[in-house]
Amino acid sequence: MKDKDDDKVRLDKWLWAARFYKTRALAKAAIEGGKVHHRGERCKPGKEPRLGDEYVIRSGFDERTVVVLGLSAVRRGAPEAQLLYAETPESVQRREQATQQRKAGALGLQTDGRPSKKQRRQLHSFNEQRVASHPWADEE
């Protein structure tokens, strides 16, 4: 049974129903913050998505390019929500490459955890020396 409200649905409501954002408020804030683009331009929360429209959605580190396949104003389970859109193959490839690069970069930044008491003292003394040797430190 098709609901007449499914023909016209707000973009923020569709993003929420498609499970890109946990709440409509977050979806609206993302749209207003410039995280959702259609044809290279920022969108408004009240825009009505149409079948076949392509949106670029940024969420965290990820940027997805999706094509609207269905409209819904009701949030359902994840398997049903995934039927509302299709992510382009180029978008999937870009996200996988970015994930691999982040993981590779994170491997070079591994630490032993928090500094020990001795290391913390050394850091404080180093920072004090750095501040004391700075030209503007004598202005007081």
Side-chain angles (χ1 to χ4, degrees):
M1 184 164 117
K2 189 166 182 170
D3 204 8
K4 67 175 183 167
D5 294 337
D6 284 348
D7 293 342
K8 292 187 177 182
V9 62
R10 292 171 51 102
L11 181 60
D12 58 346
K13 204 170 200 177
W14 183 84
L15 289 170
W16 167 74
R19 293 183 166 262
F20 286 106
Y21 299 100
K22 287 187 177 186
T23 65
R24 270 188 70 189
L26 287 175
K28 183 179 178 193
I31 295 168
E32 290 173 344
K35 306 273 192 255
V36 180
H37 289 80
H38 176 60
R39 295 184 185 164
E41 295 182 6
R42 291 171 67 156
C43 299
K44 292 185 178 180
K47 179 175 176 43
E48 294 176 358
R50 292 190 168 82
L51 298 178
D53 281 355
E54 191 171 287
Y55 290 95
V56 177
I57 303 165
R58 271 191 322 181
S59 179
F61 290 117
D62 294 336
E63 183 174 289
R64 300 171 187 248
T65 304
V66 298
V67 178
V68 178
L69 298 179
L71 299 175
S72 176
V74 180
R75 187 173 171 103
R76 301 200 191 277
E80 291 180 48
Q82 290 175 347
L83 299 175
L84 297 177
Y85 65 91
E87 188 172 0
T88 62
E90 298 86 19
S91 174
V92 173
Q93 186 179 13
R94 275 196 317 261
R95 279 193 314 114
E96 288 174 355
Q97 287 176 348
T99 302
Q100 289 173 353
Q101 288 175 350
R102 280 196 307 271
K103 285 182 181 177
L107 295 176
L109 297 175
Q110 288 182 343
T111 64
D112 295 332
R114 293 175 52 181
S116 66
K117 190 170 184 178
K118 181 179 179 183
Q119 291 169 335
R120 200 166 36 253
R121 284 190 198 127
Q122 290 172 341
L123 282 170
H124 287 302
S125 68
F126 174 75
N127 284 334
E128 287 173 6
Q129 289 172 0
R130 229 181 68 209
V131 169
S133 66
H134 204 280
W136 52 260
D138 297 330
E139 291 179 4
E140 289 183 24

